[in-house]
Amino acid sequence: MPRIGIILGSDSDLPVLEKGFKLVEQLGLEFELRILSAHRTHEAVTEFINSFDEKGIDVVIAGAGKAAHLPGVIAAQTVKPVIGLPIRASLDGVDALYSIVQMPGGIPVATVGINASDNAVLLAAQMLALKYPEVTANLEAHRVEMRDVVLEKDRKIQEKYNK
Amino acid sequence: MPRIGIILGSDSDLPVLEKGFKLVEQLGLEFELRILSAHRTHEAVTEFINSFDEKGIDVVIAGAGKAAHLPGVIAAQTVKPVIGLPIRASLDGVDALYSIVQMPGGIPVATVGINASDNAVLLAAQMLALKYPEVTANLEAHRVEMRDVVLEKDRKIQEKYNK
Amino acid sequence: MPRIGIILGSDSDLPVLEKGFKLVEQLGLEFELRILSAHRTHEAVTEFINSFDEKGIDVVIAGAGKAAHLPGVIAAQTVKPVIGLPIRASLDGVDALYSIVQMPGGIPVATVGINASDNAVLLAAQMLALKYPEVTANLEAHRVEMRDVVLEKDRKIQEKYNK
Amino acid sequence: MPRIGIILGSDSDLPVLEKGFKLVEQLGLEFELRILSAHRTHEAVTEFINSFDEKGIDVVIAGAGKAAHLPGVIAAQTVKPVIGLPIRASLDGVDALYSIVQMPGGIPVATVGINASDNAVLLAAQMLALKYPEVTANLEAHRVEMRDVVLEKDRKIQEKYNK
Amino acid sequence: MPRIGIILGSDSDLPVLEKGFKLVEQLGLEFELRILSAHRTHEAVTEFINSFDEKGIDVVIAGAGKAAHLPGVIAAQTVKPVIGLPIRASLDGVDALYSIVQMPGGIPVATVGINASDNAVLLAAQMLALKYPEVTANLEAHRVEMRDVVLEKDRKIQEKYNK
Amino acid sequence: MPRIGIILGSDSDLPVLEKGFKLVEQLGLEFELRILSAHRTHEAVTEFINSFDEKGIDVVIAGAGKAAHLPGVIAAQTVKPVIGLPIRASLDGVDALYSIVQMPGGIPVATVGINASDNAVLLAAQMLALKYPEVTANLEAHRVEMRDVVLEKDRKIQEKYNK
Amino acid sequence: MPRIGIILGSDSDLPVLEKGFKLVEQLGLEFELRILSAHRTHEAVTEFINSFDEKGIDVVIAGAGKAAHLPGVIAAQTVKPVIGLPIRASLDGVDALYSIVQMPGGIPVATVGINASDNAVLLAAQMLALKYPEVTANLEAHRVEMRDVVLEKDRKIQEKYNK
Amino acid sequence: MPRIGIILGSDSDLPVLEKGFKLVEQLGLEFELRILSAHRTHEAVTEFINSFDEKGIDVVIAGAGKAAHLPGVIAAQTVKPVIGLPIRASLDGVDALYSIVQMPGGIPVATVGINASDNAVLLAAQMLALKYPEVTANLEAHRVEMRDVVLEKDRKIQEKYNK
């Protein structure tokens, strides 16, 4: 099964991942979750990165707040795509966003919106679908599902408001 | 050959792509470049998206400034990964960054730094390497090259400044 | 009756419209409300736009949060005036404001303040009054009413505070 | 002929209007231009507003920089639609944008992007087209023209870059 | 008695004035409070300004939120000093601050901090003390009082924390 | 003659004062200019403050950039009104603006716009006019002059643009 | 024992220091805490600074909010290192951050993150360790402890989430 | 001789260090300069950190722009004080400032102002003076020198402007 590595800088950020977790199974993926700090446990971060091939991890999601170095520090040690998830912990999440997206030339981090764990997982799935074509169908089904949810809400609103 | 679709909102943004173009060949990739506006030519955008499979385009880079809707509008019409490149045209590029990265749940855009076309291409290559393993070697060679450039600069600086 | 099309990107934004809804009737207007996402239901958005003439919709209000593409995506498909309503969903609404107001040259969106659904409806009425002169009287009556509310508050405050 | 009133807070802002002036004629409109300050010449502003009906001015564009009160001060004295054009004079134009778009409830200003005089004129034309249907054709022709300019650029780029 | 005119754009902002009201009496001043909107009741604003001399009002405090035009609109109609009090109603008060402090050349507004009604009143007193020297003593007594409050807190903290 | 004390944090900021200097004489004022740093020469700052009464200085203008403490440091040592002039030296002047306007409760600084030395001098004159009524006439004459400059520009623009 | 001077601008900021207080003892340090305002009690601030040598205070932590001048005002009067702690009291703490970190050339303040009293104390300890080598061991022990806390959380998360 | 390690993320940032280099000698310090990237050459960074003791480096200055991880990455690997120098490379330096100062709890970075290499070196000297008391005299001499420069400028300005 296609596998995502998910690393959070702090377990206090776990609630932010809720929306993302729900999507993983639906998209036919597996994940391995780790709580590791770029600064407090840098050796463990490196160890985990070195195990990616053996564990079949093809894509990484790294979430952190404030001066969020974790995604960039991981991206510097692998050429697998790293998805950066800025977490709102201060300054409305702008500090985390800048610390993740404004990476220097050479070491990209694929950044998603502040606290947007659902989009982080969907982006991971879109990347994995390049290698595992069966994921594509799940992504397309999810799109249809989202569309139908909106259209159903729209239908109800029309009934209520439009004569 | 692995192929990236690159769409710019305006040909005035071409100079921003310079750094990216240089990397494409070095990484063993091909690209197809289009100048298309999400608002002025939305039909042509949709047409191009519909040709991705036929043309072998697996990953898209979309660059735009100001209220930069182009990457999101493309992402809404494909489940292939879309890399958003915010271009500095006003407000130091912050308007483009927010318009690209803060996508609503369900339609992710993989955002890189403001004007960072080099990182956009590297990220595209990292994604393509999932499907085309031969790209991985090119990415790793590029990392070594970057490292050696820094170390050479460091050597010269040490000679000059440190006794 | 003069008719406004109102499109919200998400039904969770309905409470923001409260202030606006109250004004519609008072100004002698009608509205048709839709919940449609620029990204998840782009075909339905286009369909709705194509029905404007038939439905007698002359002006559109589109409200969205975060990377708020909805107003711009609609504006690209019609030359009827589109009023953009930035909704506070993150970053204090600044991301929505920038994504709406900073439209590229050629496709304007008439932007009102963050969460200011009352001003969106008033602006729609001001536009419609160009075609339906009877709306002008309602707008002027509303101005008088607003003035009198302030003057009454001022009278009470003066009684309480000024000897 | 449909007529726009254009008021600038300072004649030093005239170059910002260039792009807008070019569009007025093409869209089949006329304009009356005034240099008036909300603060230094408030009586003259009021006088001009009082002459709108007599002069056949249906829509107003007001441009100002810094603490840009002009559009709001005009909007408070008429129920004709007022388009606010924030001009970059300090703080990258953010002060002007906030001073124009964040109007209190009751007095809307239709705000366009920073320095976007082309969009201000297009928006004025879109409003006027509600009353003068012949403007609609000009607006649609302008859209086609813009589209063709982009497609022509795209054709040239494809010739140069794509084999 | 030296007299301040205080004008608020909305009675919902009255709680912000609490800290200021407390100081007025202590400093030996009087005030006249009005609730008047720069946009909804501009004639009443002008009327009040025209009564300053008759009422013995030498200094004005004007507080408003969002696109806070009130202080500037008043300042344009009098050469008495106008103190602008930005009120936090949106965007953390930054929109109000910019709309008040960034006045164009020629019409200054003496701006104090966001929601800082105490400093607005103190500043008014400092200005009035130029004309009414007896206010100076009250201001100096207030400084001593503030100093003693801090020193007393410091004394208690030292007892508790420092051995 | 009414007298303003002007203190700049650095002589590199002198060009910013140009617009202000021009107004001083026209308004019938005198000034004493000092270059003093809140941090490097705090004793000299205190000495100057202590000489205000003897020198007949009733109002102070203090201009500084970056973490602009000078106006607040002066305001803490006198109850005469201190006008803070934020100077653009970094961060577009926002750091200086915040450091000056967001003073803690008890010690107000009358803040004007970024680099707005003309408004600083006008505000000083407005304050001095409370004590020296003859300044009022100069202020009113200046208003008339400003108005006439705008009206003359308006007349020329009308000749050129309006038929 | 190595000794830190801690000065807060207001006792309402004491809760922010909690995290810092806990570390002081663990790191083998002592502190002297004062509540002193740069503006209201500047003489007492100077007195405290003058007592540093006698009291064995080698490093200072100064915390303040809004236009936070306290750290800079202290730094101007001593060449001992001053650590500036920006406290979130308004504008998300950005005003305090800018007022502390953007010091003019010549008078540095060692700034830590907004409300980051733990990092302020750790930084003080790192400085003191230069003089008191025994502190180094405590700092290294604290690093190990932090690492082990993260690794323990990681172990639990792995048990729960990873099969 | 007391010794500072200086690490820059890129040799293009060398001009920013000019002001700092000038101070090093004057303060009686030595430095070792390295060009090393946190991401491209992380092993070399670690190697340099491991040599601090042997080389007698007691304090580190690390300067970087954009998502400036270098100071934090170094701070995570040593308990010697790390001074972070945010370099203006994009977004006016705010991205670098946030990426450096907003470090997570446990790993402080002593941040100075944007591009303020002079303050970085002075802060380093202030820290080193705790261990090498002879540096204190140099720091105090530098303060006197700075004061005298300002007073001399003030003298000249007074001659020119004040009668």
Side-chain angles (χ1 to χ4, degrees):
Chain A
M1 279 253 276
R3 211 171 167 81
I4 315 170
I6 304 181
I7 316 185
L8 276 194
S10 159
D11 63 345
S12 64
D13 298 335
L14 270 172
V16 171
L17 278 195
E18 284 301 297
K19 283 184 300 181
F21 286 152
K22 279 191 202 144
L23 280 168
V24 171
E25 205 176 348
Q26 179 178 0
L27 295 166
L29 311 175
E30 280 184 345
F31 70 89
E32 172 165 349
L33 176 65
R34 302 293 301 270
I35 305 295
L36 291 172
S37 152
H39 303 106
R40 297 175 178 181
T41 63
H42 46 94
E43 289 97 344
V45 169
T46 300
E47 248 172 68
F48 184 42
I49 293 168
N50 291 339
S51 75
F52 285 169
D53 279 333
E54 174 196 347
K55 287 177 165 168
I57 288 172
D58 283 316
V59 174
V60 187
I61 294 171
K66 294 185 174 174
H69 298 186
L70 185 64
V73 161
I74 297 169
Q77 300 180 57
T78 179
V79 297
K80 295 188 194 293
V82 175
I83 295 167
L85 172 61
I87 291 181
R88 184 183 302 116
S90 54
L91 293 176
D92 247 357
V94 170
D95 47 0
L97 174 59
Y98 287 171
S99 299
I100 291 175
V101 80
Q102 286 289 78
M103 285 293 290
I107 313 286
V109 169
T111 310
V112 294
I114 297 165
N115 276 16
S117 68
D118 46 354
N119 277 358
V121 168
L122 284 163
L123 183 57
Q126 290 181 333
M127 293 176 184
L128 290 165
L130 296 178
K131 182 172 176 183
Y132 305 91
E134 65 276 19
V135 177
T136 301
N138 295 341
L139 281 163
E140 285 169 346
H142 178 253
R143 288 275 171 103
V144 171
E145 192 189 296
M146 286 197 304
R147 188 199 60 199
D148 290 348
V149 167
V150 176
L151 292 180
E152 178 58 18
K153 284 179 181 171
D154 181 44
R155 207 185 48 73
K156 283 194 186 144
I157 285 289
Q158 290 201 59
E159 262 174 36
K160 183 166 164 199
Y161 284 95
N162 309 338
K163 290 122 267 231
Chain B
M1 278 250 278
R3 210 170 168 81
I4 314 171
I6 303 181
I7 315 185
L8 276 194
S10 159
D11 63 343
S12 64
D13 298 335
L14 271 171
V16 171
L17 279 193
E18 285 300 298
K19 282 184 301 180
F21 286 151
K22 279 191 201 140
L23 280 167
V24 173
E25 205 176 350
Q26 179 177 0
L27 295 166
L29 310 176
E30 280 184 346
F31 70 89
E32 173 165 348
L33 176 66
R34 301 294 301 270
I35 304 295
L36 291 172
S37 152
H39 301 107
R40 298 174 178 181
T41 62
H42 45 96
E43 289 97 344
V45 169
T46 300
E47 248 172 68
F48 184 41
I49 293 168
N50 291 339
S51 74
F52 284 170
D53 279 333
E54 174 195 347
K55 287 177 164 165
I57 288 173
D58 284 315
V59 174
V60 187
I61 294 171
K66 296 184 174 175
H69 297 188
L70 185 63
V73 161
I74 297 170
Q77 301 180 56
T78 179
V79 297
K80 295 187 194 293
V82 175
I83 296 167
L85 171 62
I87 291 181
R88 183 183 301 116
S90 54
L91 294 175
D92 247 357
V94 170
D95 47 1
L97 173 60
Y98 286 172
S99 299
I100 291 175
V101 80
Q102 286 290 79
M103 284 294 290
I107 313 285
V109 169
T111 309
V112 294
I114 297 166
N115 277 15
S117 68
D118 47 354
N119 277 359
V121 169
L122 285 163
L123 182 57
Q126 290 181 333
M127 293 178 185
L128 289 166
L130 296 177
K131 181 172 177 183
Y132 305 91
E134 64 275 19
V135 177
T136 301
N138 295 340
L139 281 163
E140 285 169 346
H142 177 253
R143 289 274 171 102
V144 170
E145 192 189 298
M146 286 196 305
R147 187 198 62 199
D148 290 349
V149 167
V150 175
L151 293 179
E152 177 60 18
K153 283 179 182 171
D154 181 45
R155 206 184 49 74
K156 283 194 185 142
I157 285 291
Q158 290 202 60
E159 261 174 35
K160 182 166 164 202
Y161 284 93
N162 310 336
K163 291 121 264 235
Chain C
M1 279 251 277
R3 211 170 167 81
I4 315 171
I6 304 181
I7 316 185
L8 276 194
S10 158
D11 63 344
S12 64
D13 298 335
L14 271 171
V16 171
L17 279 194
E18 284 301 298
K19 283 183 301 181
F21 286 151
K22 278 191 203 143
L23 280 167
V24 172
E25 205 176 349
Q26 179 178 0
L27 295 166
L29 310 175
E30 280 183 345
F31 70 88
E32 173 165 349
L33 176 65
R34 302 294 300 270
I35 305 294
L36 291 173
S37 152
H39 302 106
R40 297 175 179 182
T41 62
H42 46 94
E43 289 97 345
V45 169
T46 299
E47 249 171 67
F48 184 41
I49 293 169
N50 291 340
S51 75
F52 285 169
D53 279 331
E54 174 195 349
K55 287 177 164 167
I57 288 172
D58 283 316
V59 174
V60 188
I61 294 171
K66 295 185 176 173
H69 297 187
L70 185 63
V73 161
I74 296 170
Q77 300 179 56
T78 178
V79 297
K80 294 188 195 293
V82 176
I83 296 168
L85 172 62
I87 292 182
R88 184 184 302 116
S90 53
L91 292 176
D92 246 357
V94 170
D95 46 2
L97 174 59
Y98 287 172
S99 298
I100 291 175
V101 80
Q102 286 290 76
M103 284 292 291
I107 313 286
V109 169
T111 310
V112 295
I114 296 165
N115 277 16
S117 68
D118 46 354
N119 277 358
V121 168
L122 284 163
L123 182 57
Q126 290 180 332
M127 293 177 185
L128 289 166
L130 296 178
K131 182 172 175 183
Y132 305 91
E134 65 276 18
V135 177
T136 301
N138 295 341
L139 281 162
E140 284 168 347
H142 178 253
R143 289 274 172 104
V144 170
E145 193 190 297
M146 286 197 306
R147 187 199 61 198
D148 290 348
V149 167
V150 175
L151 292 179
E152 177 59 19
K153 284 180 180 170
D154 180 44
R155 206 186 48 73
K156 282 195 185 142
I157 284 290
Q158 289 201 59
E159 262 174 36
K160 182 166 165 201
Y161 284 95
N162 310 336
K163 288 122 269 232
Chain D
M1 281 252 276
R3 212 171 166 80
I4 315 171
I6 304 182
I7 316 184
L8 277 193
S10 159
D11 63 344
S12 65
D13 299 335
L14 270 171
V16 172
L17 278 195
E18 285 300 298
K19 282 184 302 181
F21 286 151
K22 279 190 202 143
L23 280 167
V24 172
E25 205 177 349
Q26 179 178 0
L27 296 166
L29 310 176
E30 280 183 345
F31 70 89
E32 174 166 348
L33 175 66
R34 302 292 302 269
I35 305 294
L36 292 172
S37 152
H39 302 107
R40 297 176 179 179
T41 62
H42 46 95
E43 289 96 344
V45 169
T46 300
E47 248 171 68
F48 184 40
I49 293 168
N50 291 340
S51 75
F52 285 169
D53 279 332
E54 173 195 349
K55 288 177 164 167
I57 288 172
D58 283 315
V59 174
V60 187
I61 295 172
K66 294 184 174 175
H69 297 187
L70 185 64
V73 161
I74 296 170
Q77 301 180 58
T78 178
V79 297
K80 295 188 194 292
V82 176
I83 296 168
L85 172 62
I87 292 182
R88 183 183 302 116
S90 54
L91 293 177
D92 246 357
V94 170
D95 46 1
L97 173 59
Y98 287 171
S99 298
I100 291 175
V101 81
Q102 285 291 76
M103 284 294 289
I107 313 286
V109 169
T111 310
V112 294
I114 297 165
N115 276 16
S117 68
D118 47 354
N119 277 358
V121 169
L122 285 163
L123 182 57
Q126 290 181 332
M127 293 178 185
L128 289 166
L130 296 177
K131 182 172 177 183
Y132 304 91
E134 65 276 17
V135 177
T136 302
N138 295 340
L139 282 162
E140 285 168 347
H142 178 253
R143 289 274 171 103
V144 171
E145 193 189 297
M146 285 197 305
R147 187 199 62 199
D148 290 348
V149 167
V150 175
L151 293 179
E152 177 59 19
K153 283 179 181 170
D154 181 44
R155 205 184 50 73
K156 283 195 184 142
I157 285 290
Q158 290 202 59
E159 260 174 36
K160 183 167 164 200
Y161 284 93
N162 309 338
K163 288 122 269 234
Chain E
M1 279 251 275
R3 210 168 168 81
I4 316 170
I6 304 181
I7 316 184
L8 276 193
S10 159
D11 64 344
S12 64
D13 298 334
L14 270 171
V16 171
L17 279 193
E18 285 300 298
K19 282 183 302 180
F21 286 150
K22 279 191 201 142
L23 280 167
V24 172
E25 205 176 348
Q26 179 177 1
L27 295 166
L29 310 176
E30 279 184 347
F31 70 89
E32 174 165 347
L33 176 65
R34 302 294 300 270
I35 304 294
L36 291 172
S37 153
H39 302 107
R40 297 175 180 181
T41 63
H42 46 94
E43 290 96 345
V45 169
T46 300
E47 250 171 66
F48 184 41
I49 293 168
N50 291 339
S51 75
F52 285 170
D53 279 333
E54 174 196 347
K55 288 176 164 168
I57 288 172
D58 283 316
V59 174
V60 188
I61 295 172
K66 295 184 175 175
H69 298 186
L70 186 63
V73 162
I74 296 169
Q77 300 179 57
T78 178
V79 297
K80 295 189 194 290
V82 176
I83 296 167
L85 172 61
I87 292 182
R88 184 183 301 117
S90 54
L91 293 176
D92 246 357
V94 170
D95 46 1
L97 173 59
Y98 286 172
S99 298
I100 291 175
V101 81
Q102 285 290 76
M103 284 294 290
I107 313 286
V109 169
T111 309
V112 294
I114 296 165
N115 277 15
S117 68
D118 47 354
N119 277 358
V121 169
L122 284 163
L123 182 57
Q126 289 180 333
M127 293 177 185
L128 289 165
L130 296 177
K131 182 172 175 183
Y132 304 92
E134 65 275 18
V135 177
T136 301
N138 295 341
L139 281 162
E140 284 169 348
H142 178 253
R143 288 275 171 104
V144 171
E145 193 189 296
M146 287 197 305
R147 187 199 61 198
D148 290 348
V149 167
V150 175
L151 292 179
E152 178 58 19
K153 284 178 181 172
D154 181 45
R155 206 186 48 73
K156 283 194 185 142
I157 284 290
Q158 290 202 60
E159 260 174 36
K160 183 167 164 201
Y161 284 94
N162 311 336
K163 288 124 268 232
Chain F
M1 280 254 275
R3 211 171 167 80
I4 315 170
I6 304 181
I7 316 184
L8 277 193
S10 160
D11 63 344
S12 64
D13 299 334
L14 270 171
V16 172
L17 279 194
E18 286 299 299
K19 283 184 300 181
F21 286 151
K22 279 190 202 142
L23 281 167
V24 172
E25 205 176 349
Q26 178 177 0
L27 295 166
L29 310 175
E30 280 184 346
F31 70 90
E32 173 164 349
L33 176 65
R34 301 293 300 270
I35 305 293
L36 291 172
S37 152
H39 302 106
R40 298 175 178 180
T41 62
H42 47 95
E43 288 97 344
V45 169
T46 300
E47 248 171 67
F48 184 41
I49 293 167
N50 291 340
S51 75
F52 285 169
D53 279 333
E54 173 196 349
K55 288 176 165 168
I57 288 172
D58 283 315
V59 174
V60 188
I61 294 171
K66 295 184 174 176
H69 297 187
L70 184 64
V73 161
I74 296 170
Q77 301 180 58
T78 179
V79 297
K80 295 187 194 292
V82 176
I83 296 167
L85 172 63
I87 292 182
R88 183 183 302 117
S90 54
L91 293 176
D92 247 356
V94 170
D95 47 1
L97 173 59
Y98 287 172
S99 299
I100 291 174
V101 81
Q102 286 290 79
M103 284 294 289
I107 313 286
V109 169
T111 309
V112 295
I114 297 165
N115 276 16
S117 67
D118 47 354
N119 277 358
V121 168
L122 285 164
L123 182 57
Q126 290 180 333
M127 294 177 184
L128 289 165
L130 296 177
K131 181 171 177 183
Y132 306 91
E134 65 276 18
V135 177
T136 301
N138 295 340
L139 281 163
E140 285 169 347
H142 177 252
R143 289 275 171 104
V144 170
E145 192 189 298
M146 285 197 307
R147 188 200 60 198
D148 290 348
V149 167
V150 175
L151 293 179
E152 177 59 18
K153 285 179 180 171
D154 181 44
R155 205 184 49 72
K156 283 194 184 143
I157 284 289
Q158 290 202 59
E159 262 174 35
K160 182 166 164 202
Y161 284 93
N162 310 338
K163 287 123 268 235
Chain G
M1 280 253 274
R3 209 170 169 80
I4 315 171
I6 303 181
I7 316 184
L8 277 193
S10 160
D11 64 345
S12 64
D13 299 335
L14 270 171
V16 172
L17 278 194
E18 284 301 296
K19 282 184 300 181
F21 285 151
K22 278 190 203 144
L23 280 167
V24 171
E25 205 176 348
Q26 179 178 0
L27 295 166
L29 310 175
E30 279 183 346
F31 70 90
E32 173 165 349
L33 175 66
R34 302 293 301 270
I35 305 293
L36 291 173
S37 151
H39 303 106
R40 297 175 179 181
T41 62
H42 47 95
E43 289 96 345
V45 169
T46 300
E47 248 172 68
F48 184 41
I49 294 168
N50 291 339
S51 75
F52 285 169
D53 279 333
E54 174 196 346
K55 288 177 164 167
I57 288 173
D58 284 315
V59 174
V60 187
I61 294 172
K66 295 184 174 175
H69 297 185
L70 185 63
V73 161
I74 296 169
Q77 300 179 56
T78 177
V79 297
K80 295 189 194 290
V82 175
I83 295 168
L85 171 62
I87 292 182
R88 183 183 302 118
S90 54
L91 293 177
D92 247 357
V94 170
D95 47 0
L97 173 59
Y98 287 171
S99 299
I100 292 174
V101 80
Q102 286 289 80
M103 285 294 290
I107 313 286
V109 169
T111 309
V112 295
I114 297 165
N115 276 17
S117 68
D118 47 354
N119 277 359
V121 169
L122 285 163
L123 182 58
Q126 290 181 331
M127 294 176 184
L128 290 165
L130 297 177
K131 182 173 176 183
Y132 304 92
E134 64 276 18
V135 177
T136 301
N138 295 341
L139 281 162
E140 285 169 345
H142 177 253
R143 289 275 171 103
V144 170
E145 192 189 296
M146 286 197 304
R147 188 198 61 198
D148 290 347
V149 166
V150 176
L151 293 179
E152 177 58 17
K153 284 179 181 173
D154 181 45
R155 206 185 48 73
K156 283 193 186 146
I157 284 289
Q158 291 202 58
E159 261 174 37
K160 183 166 164 201
Y161 284 93
N162 309 337
K163 288 124 266 232
Chain H
M1 279 252 277
R3 210 170 168 81
I4 315 171
I6 304 181
I7 316 185
L8 277 193
S10 160
D11 63 344
S12 64
D13 298 335
L14 270 171
V16 172
L17 279 194
E18 286 299 298
K19 282 183 301 180
F21 286 151
K22 278 189 202 142
L23 280 167
V24 172
E25 204 176 351
Q26 179 178 0
L27 295 166
L29 310 176
E30 279 184 345
F31 70 90
E32 173 165 348
L33 176 65
R34 301 293 301 269
I35 305 294
L36 291 173
S37 152
H39 302 106
R40 298 176 178 179
T41 62
H42 47 95
E43 289 96 343
V45 169
T46 300
E47 248 172 69
F48 184 41
I49 293 168
N50 291 340
S51 74
F52 285 169
D53 278 333
E54 173 195 349
K55 288 176 164 169
I57 288 172
D58 283 315
V59 174
V60 187
I61 295 172
K66 296 184 174 176
H69 297 187
L70 185 64
V73 161
I74 297 170
Q77 301 179 57
T78 178
V79 297
K80 295 188 193 292
V82 175
I83 296 167
L85 172 62
I87 292 182
R88 183 183 301 116
S90 54
L91 293 176
D92 247 357
V94 170
D95 47 1
L97 173 59
Y98 287 172
S99 299
I100 291 175
V101 81
Q102 286 290 77
M103 283 295 289
I107 313 287
V109 169
T111 309
V112 295
I114 297 165
N115 276 16
S117 68
D118 46 355
N119 277 359
V121 168
L122 284 163
L123 182 58
Q126 289 181 333
M127 293 177 184
L128 289 165
L130 296 178
K131 180 172 177 182
Y132 305 91
E134 65 275 19
V135 176
T136 301
N138 295 341
L139 281 163
E140 285 169 346
H142 177 253
R143 288 274 171 103
V144 170
E145 193 189 297
M146 285 197 305
R147 187 198 62 198
D148 291 348
V149 167
V150 175
L151 293 179
E152 177 59 19
K153 284 179 181 171
D154 181 45
R155 206 185 48 73
K156 284 193 183 142
I157 284 289
Q158 291 202 59
E159 261 175 34
K160 183 167 163 200
Y161 285 92
N162 310 338
K163 289 123 266 235

